[in-house]
Amino acid sequence: MFDFDRVIERRGTHASKWDNMKKLSGIDPSDGIPMWVADMDFAAPPGVSAALTAEVERGTHGYYADTGSWAAALVDWLARRHDLKIEPGWVSPTPGIVSGLGLILQAVSEPGDEVVVFPPAYHAFRRIIAANERRILDAQLVERQGRYVMDLDALRGRLTPRTRVVFLCSPHNPGGTVWSADELRALARLCADHDLILVSDEIHCDLVFAGARHTPTFTAAPEIADRLITCVAATKTFNLAGAHVGACVTTNPVLKKRLDARIGASGLGSYNGFGMIATEAAWRTGEAWLDALLPYLASNRDLFDARIEAAAPGARSMRLDGTYLAWVDFSGTGLAADDVAARVARRARIFASPGPQFGPGGDNWLRFNFATPRPILEQALSRLEEAFADLRTAAVRASR
Ligand SMILES: Cc1ncc(COP(=O)(O)O)c(C=O)c1O
């Protein structure tokens, strides 16, 4: 019903994943394979294309009137997919999650205040904190039995009177960790004890594979709802990142008023119509597409993990419970980080995200986006096999 194997030519279409590759990595897109930014190479759900086509065919593209249907579609989606009951009045649309994070920082903290991040973590967290002249307080994740865990005792000891906000990524990017309700409750308790605002970025919440289940922070710890802001979007789930629409959700009217004041002060209270139409259509019509996408992505994950670990003996791909961003530790290969990076970029002509971008704990790791049609993934894996072929030969010799 949905052809995720279909390769769609995206070069020359303003697709950042392809058309920014040369500028950012030096790899020519005519021959290179982009596996960096979290953007999928699949066609959007048909209901999204139909809604946008109807808008285009009408031919009038004036200011968007928010009649409440967008928030209602979000409320329905969260209730259906995550058993999460929210009210439309708790929702503030923003032009994407990262801009929402910046607006939240402006609403609840001052320059010089500290914001907790759990590295390795989504790099834009660091960027938006620094751009808003706040300071990053790194709470290093620890790997235990193949998944990340938070060391909250260590974090407690490092909090200062200037620590105001915690940025949680749930599920976590990179690493695809789906946090348990207990883990979320423990973090919530720390936030309550130290009077911190908890920002739970749940943009990846729909991209969770069979066997794991996303728990919204609001569900795990309703007792801290007054200090919680949840960020959600249709854009990651349905590959509509260019739509630039997200939502900040909070039950606390004082927090919401402060956030809405920042939104208003930046002139962002009037929304991008194309983005609102596309994302509403996605929530209303995209469920069957998503249900078909998830097993496709899970097969890509399994294929990628098996072949990268065989291609580069000693490499280890963290088992993802969610997201489509393979997180690979090359330190066991015995190769230096710049050698690994050069093999991937120059021999395989693949643009993967460099681990250090995600903060401490990312050295000699690379993040690979495998949300691409299988023919492209197969080609990427063949190239990676070639790029590390000498390593396998040496491993075979050593075992004789
Ligand atoms: C955790 C996380 N938050 C936010 C974003 C980006 O959100 P937006 O494009 O809405 O700013 C991403 C994109 O990869 C992400 O991984």
Side-chain angles (χ1 to χ4, degrees):
M1 193 168 162
F2 307 103
D3 185 6
F4 297 114
D5 281 334
R6 181 162 69 98
V7 175
I8 301 170
E9 178 60 67
R10 301 185 70 196
R11 286 171 284 213
T13 66
H14 299 282
S16 177
K17 187 179 185 183
W18 292 83
D19 289 343
N20 274 333
M21 179 158 60
K22 176 90 179 162
K23 188 168 74 187
L24 297 178
S25 71
I27 302 168
D28 199 303
S30 62
D31 177 46
I33 300 178
M35 300 182 85
W36 60 292
V37 65
D39 176 319
M40 304 191 267
D41 291 314
F42 308 122
V48 172
S49 303
L52 287 172
T53 302
E55 174 71 10
V56 167
E57 284 177 349
R58 200 176 309 113
T60 61
H61 308 300
Y63 289 113
Y64 176 83
D66 187 2
T67 59
S69 65
W70 186 85
L74 169 61
V75 168
D76 285 352
W77 178 261
L78 293 176
R80 256 196 343 268
R81 296 294 293 194
H82 301 287
D83 204 18
L84 174 61
K85 312 265 182 310
I86 65 161
E87 291 178 16
W90 301 346
V91 176
S92 300
T94 53
I97 299 297
V98 176
S99 63
L101 297 175
L103 293 160
I104 291 169
L105 288 181
Q106 292 160 26
V108 304
S109 68
E110 298 295 328
D113 283 347
E114 290 169 345
V115 183
V116 175
V117 169
F118 293 94
Y122 175 51
H123 54 90
F125 282 3
R126 311 184 83 74
R127 200 175 62 212
I128 200 77
I129 294 167
N132 279 281
E133 296 166 3
R134 274 64 171 169
R135 287 180 295 151
I136 297 165
L137 178 57
D138 278 319
Q140 190 72 49
L141 291 175
V142 181
E143 204 181 331
R144 207 165 287 155
Q145 285 158 355
R147 76 187 277 280
Y148 282 128
V149 295
M150 295 179 249
D151 185 348
L152 297 183
D153 290 336
L155 173 60
R156 261 180 215 277
R158 299 188 49 236
L159 297 171
T160 77
R162 294 302 299 267
T163 317
R164 293 268 187 280
V165 183
V166 175
F167 277 180
L168 174 72
C169 188
S170 177
H172 194 74
N173 166 24
T177 317
V178 172
W179 305 112
S180 71
D182 283 348
E183 287 170 318
L184 295 168
R185 263 193 293 275
L187 175 62
R189 201 172 316 120
L190 177 141
C191 292
D193 290 349
H194 297 273
D195 194 18
L196 306 175
I197 299 292
L198 177 54
V199 180
S200 188
D201 176 348
E202 303 187 17
I203 195 170
H204 292 281
C205 68
D206 297 316
L207 297 166
V208 168
F209 301 121
R213 189 168 165 76
H214 171 74
T215 306
T217 303
F218 182 64
T219 307
E223 66 279 8
I224 60 122
D226 264 7
R227 57 177 70 254
L228 175 66
I229 304 178
T230 302
C231 300
V232 283
T235 48
K236 202 62 53 188
T237 311
F238 298 102
N239 206 39
L240 305 169
H244 267 294
V245 183
C248 299
V249 183
T250 182
T251 62
N252 181 333
V254 178
L255 265 189
K256 183 167 190 312
K257 201 165 160 207
R258 274 169 30 201
L259 174 60
D260 287 344
R262 296 314 312 162
I263 292 172
S266 306
L268 297 172
S270 169
Y271 312 125
N272 175 325
F274 294 99
M276 298 298 274
I277 288 167
T279 50
E280 180 175 339
W283 285 321
R284 291 194 185 283
T285 70
E287 198 154 13
W289 181 93
L290 177 62
D291 285 338
L293 174 76
L294 287 172
Y296 190 91
L297 289 178
S299 299
N300 275 11
R301 171 197 60 180
D302 295 345
L303 181 70
F304 182 88
D305 285 355
R307 283 185 54 188
I308 191 72
E309 291 187 355
R316 208 171 35 86
S317 185
M318 194 174 256
R319 184 74 184 165
L320 303 180
D321 281 329
T323 79
Y324 47 74
L325 305 160
W327 182 230
V328 185
D329 178 8
F330 285 91
S331 55
T333 59
L335 300 173
D338 54 353
D339 187 0
V340 172
R343 285 165 185 258
V344 173
R346 288 200 219 109
R347 286 200 203 166
R349 285 126 28 237
I350 287 173
F351 182 18
S353 298
Q357 190 176 76
F358 302 93
D363 290 347
N364 219 349
W365 292 70
L366 288 174
R367 196 191 72 175
F368 294 85
N369 173 348
F370 55 70
T372 197
R374 198 106 358 112
I376 297 182
L377 182 61
E378 293 276 1
Q379 195 187 11
L381 287 164
S382 301
R383 289 187 187 186
L384 288 166
E385 280 157 6
E386 270 172 48
F388 291 97
D390 55 321
L391 220 61
R392 292 196 301 284
T393 314
V396 170
R397 276 210 203 101
S399 69
R400 277 193 192 132

